[in-house]
Amino acid sequence: MNDSNHANKRVLIAVTNIEIGGGAEKVATTVGNEFLKRGIKTTLLTFYTTTREHTFNGKRISMHEATPASILGKLPRALGRIWKVKQVCKEEKIDLMISFLEESNYYVLLSKLFLFNKTPMIVSVRNDLRNYNWLYKLLIRLLYPLAYKVVAVTKGVEKDLRENYSLKNTTTIYNPVDLEMVKRKALEPLPYDYNWLRNRRPLCISIGRLTKQKGQWHMVRAFVEVKKRIPEATLVILGGGPYRGKLQKLILDSGLQDSVFLLGKHKNVYPFLTTADLFLFSSVWEGMPNTMLEALSVGLPVVAADCGGPREILAPQYAENGTPAYPYHGQNGMLTMPLDSEPIFLSPTTKPLSAAEKMFADAVIEKLTGLPSKSVEERLRSGDLATAPFKLAKIIAKWEELTKN
């Protein structure tokens, strides 16, 4: 690719959807909006349209599909999507295409393979590959060598792509943190219906979809142990998803109905974060978790299980090589041993805590003991330091560099 007049290049960003709550969806719209600010002509292509979406300030083309329930439901639409990618590239005179998430990546590269789409393509891998199914892994081996560049969300993911998929066209670009936006949204008031949270101390918070990947059953089970040591502790979990009913029953069965609350989705999570004392993260596999970066950006300490991306945030010296001794005490929080991926919706009285869950609980207790009192302003200042490697300008500069080469 020629690096002259890169600001005049036409870029197409493809992602399955831009629903609020998705980390990759947020990054895709952020990159697109920042490109527009820099004079790069950017169009967004999505397959699905949802009710609550991130804002994109440029031209958007959507196939307006309803989200199917299974992979089989997506197969009949595959040919139409592949054709749509080729058509948009031709009609919009696209010079470079950037795709986020595997589903979108595959359709983009299939348009190159079967429809001879000559547009240079960058695909971005947003999650830990170890938990992908056999079909996804096969498609990565077959299609990703066709990409101009494969962008990994962490160094660990890039290492996996190089060593286990023999890819040589890789690089790493972390998720960005827009500190100016964080400061603006963090100073907005907590929704009136949740003002009661200000009287709950200490207050733990977690944010994420209620799915197997996020492992919130571990967090709930561990909180039984936390309550034994710190009876006044409260946990709130923001997010929606298919595990809500099972988690609610686990909360009741564990006797935590007055201490653990599922609060659903919220567009602005920052007032909740600034109200809390500690952020908890229990994923069983992960790329680069935006929610953890959001917590750190407001100066909130973290307890996280080692599941991929959190290691690069809390123990960056172990990003590619070695394993930290657990629990690892980092500057911005504690990293505990990996949690099991098999869901357990049984109270600890029925099925005792695993060693990993017990370590997670002990780390929460340790961090909640003797928490320093800081104002929101003080915490925001410490958040600047904690998220320095992820600052928006630095990350967008790396994406912009790819449009020049």
Side-chain angles (χ1 to χ4, degrees):
M1 291 177 61
N2 189 342
D3 67 353
S4 62
N5 299 317
H6 83 281
N8 294 320
K9 286 181 178 174
R10 296 178 180 270
V11 173
L12 178 66
I13 293 179
V15 65
T16 51
N17 64 73
I18 53 172
E19 184 176 14
I20 290 174
E25 294 83 347
K26 179 180 179 180
V27 174
T29 53
T30 298
V31 171
N33 286 329
E34 291 299 315
F35 275 6
L36 289 168
K37 290 178 184 177
R38 289 158 174 76
I40 300 172
K41 299 178 180 65
T42 307
T43 301
L44 179 70
L45 172 64
T46 59
F47 301 124
Y48 310 139
T49 302
T50 59
T51 54
R52 299 174 71 251
E53 297 185 325
H54 294 288
T55 300
F56 177 66
N57 298 321
K59 181 178 180 179
R60 177 186 176 187
I61 300 169
S62 179
M63 295 183 71
H64 299 294
E65 295 179 358
T67 306
S70 66
I71 292 177
L72 288 176
K74 299 173 184 178
L75 290 178
R77 303 172 180 174
L79 186 58
R81 292 178 180 176
I82 296 167
W83 179 261
K84 187 68 172 182
V85 170
K86 172 75 179 293
Q87 181 186 42
V88 172
C89 286
K90 181 178 180 181
E91 291 179 354
E92 300 295 324
K93 299 180 173 60
I94 299 300
D95 299 302
L96 174 67
M97 192 166 188
I98 303 174
S99 175
F100 289 82
L101 295 173
E102 260 58 53
E103 186 179 349
S104 177
N105 294 348
Y106 301 150
Y107 294 125
V108 163
L109 292 171
L110 284 169
S111 80
K112 187 179 190 71
L113 180 64
F114 292 123
L115 300 181
F116 308 104
N117 188 347
K118 296 181 180 180
T119 307
M121 297 171 179
I122 297 171
V123 296
S124 183
V125 180
R126 315 304 302 175
N127 223 322
D128 190 323
L129 298 166
R130 291 172 292 181
N131 287 278
Y132 281 15
N133 62 41
W134 68 269
L135 178 59
Y136 272 31
K137 290 178 178 180
L138 176 63
L139 289 171
I140 289 172
R141 295 182 192 281
L142 294 176
L143 297 176
Y144 283 28
L146 301 175
Y148 151 60
K149 190 69 72 174
V150 178
V151 176
V153 73
T154 67
K155 294 177 181 177
V157 169
E158 183 183 2
K159 182 182 180 183
D160 194 2
L161 288 167
R162 290 197 315 264
E163 295 183 355
N164 297 317
Y165 295 85
S166 303
L167 292 178
K168 303 184 185 303
N169 55 341
T170 61
T171 189
T172 295
I173 302 180
Y174 286 144
N175 289 345
V177 175
D178 185 348
L179 289 172
E180 293 305 314
M181 179 273 292
V182 168
K183 291 175 182 177
R184 186 174 65 253
K185 289 192 171 183
L187 295 175
E188 291 182 10
L190 193 67
Y192 178 80
D193 289 346
Y194 298 98
N195 276 333
W196 57 272
L197 291 175
R198 300 187 186 280
N199 299 320
R200 295 280 187 144
R201 286 290 178 267
L203 178 62
C204 300
I205 188 171
S206 185
I207 303 172
R209 293 199 71 232
L210 308 181
T211 62
K212 179 179 179 179
Q213 178 184 356
K214 303 304 180 182
Q216 287 102 341
W217 67 88
H218 289 301
M219 191 187 309
V220 173
R221 283 167 46 82
F223 213 71
V224 173
E225 187 71 17
V226 174
K227 289 287 290 183
K228 291 178 182 177
R229 296 279 298 277
I230 309 175
E232 63 275 21
T234 297
L235 167 64
V236 294
I237 302 173
L238 277 63
Y243 277 18
R244 183 182 178 92
K246 293 180 179 179
L247 287 169
Q248 192 64 64
K249 186 176 186 302
L250 175 60
I251 291 167
L252 292 172
D253 291 346
S254 302
L256 295 172
Q257 61 271 18
D258 296 323
S259 305
V260 178
F261 303 93
L262 306 179
L263 302 187
K265 291 182 181 180
H266 292 269
K267 187 169 185 178
N268 182 8
V269 299
Y270 294 102
F272 291 91
L273 288 170
T274 56
T275 302
D277 301 298
L278 183 66
F279 184 82
L280 308 187
F281 196 79
S282 60
S283 283
V284 293
W285 73 86
E286 196 65 59
M288 177 59 66
N290 276 316
T291 57
M292 188 182 297
L293 295 177
E294 288 170 343
L296 290 172
S297 70
V298 299
L300 200 58
V302 170
V303 171
D306 191 359
C307 55
R311 180 188 295 195
E312 296 194 28
I313 298 173
L314 299 177
Q317 65 271 39
Y318 295 103
E320 295 182 85
N321 298 296
T323 301
Y326 304 119
Y328 176 84
H329 293 72
Q331 184 175 356
N332 300 307
M334 291 178 66
L335 190 71
T336 66
M337 71 172 69
L339 293 162
D340 192 83
S341 62
E342 190 62 32
I344 304 171
F345 293 102
L346 298 172
S347 71
T349 55
T350 303
K351 184 175 181 60
L353 297 183
S354 67
E357 289 174 324
K358 182 65 167 59
M359 179 182 286
F360 191 89
D362 289 343
V364 173
I365 293 165
E366 180 178 336
K367 294 301 289 185
L368 288 178
T369 304
L371 276 171
S373 178
K374 291 184 179 180
S375 68
V376 173
E377 289 74 16
E378 288 174 317
R379 282 171 50 171
L380 288 172
R381 283 195 293 272
S382 65
D384 286 358
L385 296 174
T387 56
F390 312 98
K391 284 186 176 179
L392 180 65
K394 180 178 181 179
I395 299 303
I396 297 302
K398 292 184 177 182
W399 281 107
E400 189 175 5
E401 189 63 29
L402 292 181
T403 72
K404 299 178 183 178
N405 297 327

